[in-house]
Amino acid sequence: MQKVVYSVSKVNKDEKLKGVGYLIEGNLLIPATSQKGNLYIRMFEDVQKQCKLVPNTENEFKGYVTVAYENVHVYNKEKDH
């Protein structure tokens, strides 16, 4: 697992997701909160192989990836009891 800073833009929209996420086996996982306040993980699959090194940088990558993302709910153990 690698901690990364990410910025994801939706096509033809001004919406942008940015923050700190994790790369796990080429997938980008980012924490999110629903409109109802529920926590979940948003996953973008196979993004790492689509990103290329930005010229004149050592650790900044950029890429264009067309993906549908899925939401995976994360439950707080304190609320489960």
Side-chain angles (χ1 to χ4, degrees), residues 5-22:
V5 175
Y6 68 87
S7 177
V8 176
S9 299
K10 288 187 175 185
V11 176
N12 299 326
K13 298 223 178 180
D14 291 335
E15 268 184 71
K16 186 176 275 195
L17 304 171
K18 52 186 169 177
V20 176
Y22 298 91

Side-chain angles (χ1 to χ4, degrees), residues 27-41:
N27 302 320
L28 175 63
L29 303 175
I30 60 176
T33 305
S34 72
Q35 291 178 343
K36 294 182 179 181
N38 297 324
L39 299 176
Y40 65 95
I41 300 295

